[in-house]
Amino acid sequence: MITRNLGSEGVSTGALGLGLMGMSGMYGPSDEAESLATIHAAVEAGVNLLDTGDFYGMGHNEMLLGRALKELDRDKVLISVKFGAQRGPDGSWLGYDARPAAVKTALAYTLTRLGVDHIDIYRPARLDPAVPIEETVGAISELVQAGYVRHIGLSEVGVDTIRRAHAVHPITDLQIEYSLISRGIERSILPTTRELGIGITAYAVLSRGLISGHWSAQNNTAAGDFRSYSPRFQGENLTQNLALVEALRSIAEAKSVSVAQIAIAWVSAQGEDIVPLVGARRLDRLTEALGSLDVQLSAADLEQIEKAVPKDAAAGSRYATEQMHMLDSEK
């Protein structure tokens, strides 16, 4: 496995990370045995960064990872956890809570569910507008000093928040959506993280399957599947977006690789400070994603890809309107 460093703190990670969210219902039903097998196979292949959130499946995702960890060498994996999102028993989204007391309470539950004594990278899932980021990061910093957390990360925040947080404690990485059709970070966020020596863990590199080459207009979504209400998967938006995928497919076929592989490879090629998180829920999808590491993209290839899928060509926002308003990274 090729390795990369997350940020200037020298956190060494495989060139791909595994995002576990989809294993807990966010994209419809999943098979637990297949999920566990996928986690094990990923680690065996050198994927050591495992990303979860305490609100994925209301704790289910952490408990799933906890089961996997019982058969893994804890010292060989980096556990990244997001916290702060508030959900009701019906799965509804209630906002965010990143007060210092809430930070420490959330971590206590996370450590228990995972069955570990520390988290490698701990991060608020979103900016809590009611709590200064200095207070949130300050609380995590106290947890670092106490040995419960190794490094601090951020998720979906903008330039001002990044700078203020980094002034309190070094930030290892920013987790944020980045793909061929979601390139907003290139304007000011990516230059800022590079100036400060902060790595990027890029999620939704396949835009939740939209640009994987496996999605079609005939796909049906189960109840609760994020894509059933995501703007990019609706009506004419979907038609326009799938046309971009077909343009990408012709380039992939010319290189004898899959659409997903070329899309992941494009993200990897944007810088050594970027680690794509792939959301594979099955062994076959993991195998395909790992194949992206063998895809070499020349300057001419990158130019061709960006002509096929121009910046800002995607139809529809990456979240529904109310959720977009919660993104500090979009302000």
Side-chain angles (χ1 to χ4, degrees), residues 154-166:
L154 297 172
S155 178
E156 286 289 357
V157 293
V159 169
D160 180 62
T161 302
I162 294 168
R163 291 189 182 280
R164 289 167 53 198
H166 193 66

Side-chain angles (χ1 to χ4, degrees), residues 4-7 172-174 190-191 193-195 197-202 267-268 270-276:
R4 291 186 169 181
N5 285 329
L6 276 182
T172 293
D173 71 315
L174 170 68
L190 188 54
T193 57
R194 286 177 169 163
E195 173 196 336
I198 298 171
I200 294 288
T201 42
V267 175
S268 293
Q270 302 312 301
E272 293 291 322
D273 54 344
I274 298 172
V275 175

Side-chain angles (χ1 to χ4, degrees), residues 14-192:
L16 288 181
L18 183 64
L20 307 184
M21 183 181 76
M23 298 178 181
S24 294
M26 296 295 287
Y27 298 126
S30 59
D31 182 274
E32 279 209 8
E34 183 77 6
S35 295
L36 289 167
T38 301
I39 295 170
H40 283 284
V43 174
E44 288 171 8
V47 176
N48 66 332
L49 179 61
L50 305 176
D51 182 77
T52 183
D54 63 9
F55 52 94
Y56 294 166
M58 279 68 78
H60 173 272
N61 206 243
E62 288 186 327
M63 290 188 286
L64 179 73
L65 178 55
R67 288 173 58 192
L69 289 171
K70 290 178 180 178
E71 299 176 354
L72 295 171
D73 185 340
R74 170 66 181 92
D75 294 332
K76 290 186 178 179
V77 296
L78 295 170
I79 302 173
S80 166
V81 177
K82 291 182 290 297
F83 70 89
Q86 305 295 290
R87 301 187 68 180
D90 59 352
S92 58
W93 296 89
L94 307 175
Y96 298 92
D97 188 351
R99 294 171 297 165
V103 172
K104 296 176 181 180
T105 300
L107 180 69
Y109 283 94
T110 284
L111 293 173
T112 299
R113 282 190 289 259
L114 291 173
V116 299
D117 62 5
H118 72 277
I119 300 302
D120 297 288
I121 309 174
Y122 201 50
R123 71 185 82 241
R126 297 287 187 270
L127 177 68
D128 181 345
V131 180
I133 192 63
E134 290 86 352
E135 293 185 14
T136 301
V137 172
I140 307 175
S141 179
E142 291 175 6
L143 295 170
V144 171
Q145 294 169 24
Y148 295 116
V149 171
R150 295 288 187 265
H151 304 279
I152 301 178
L154 297 172
S155 178
E156 286 289 357
V157 293
V159 169
D160 180 62
T161 302
I162 294 168
R163 291 189 182 280
R164 289 167 53 198
H166 193 66
V168 174
H169 188 281
I171 301 299
T172 293
D173 71 315
L174 170 68
Q175 189 173 118
I176 195 163
E177 185 168 349
Y178 189 36
S179 73
L180 265 168
I181 63 171
S182 296
R183 297 177 60 181
I185 73 168
E186 295 174 352
R187 289 189 290 271
S188 59
I189 291 175
L190 188 54
T192 300

Side-chain angles (χ1 to χ4, degrees), residues 233-292:
F233 286 84
Q234 311 306 315
E236 289 301 314
N237 286 350
L238 179 60
T239 300
Q240 182 175 324
N241 293 332
L242 289 179
L244 297 174
V245 176
E246 291 311 304
L248 189 61
R249 192 185 304 277
S250 64
I251 300 172
E253 289 177 347
K255 293 184 70 67
S256 299
V257 301
S258 73
V259 175
Q261 287 169 340
I262 207 164
I264 297 169
W266 179 88
V267 175
S268 293
Q270 302 312 301
E272 293 291 322
D273 54 344
I274 298 172
V275 175
L277 292 173
V278 295
R281 297 189 290 170
R282 303 185 336 222
L283 288 167
D284 59 338
R285 294 291 191 250
L286 173 66
T287 299
E288 181 180 33
L290 289 170
S292 70

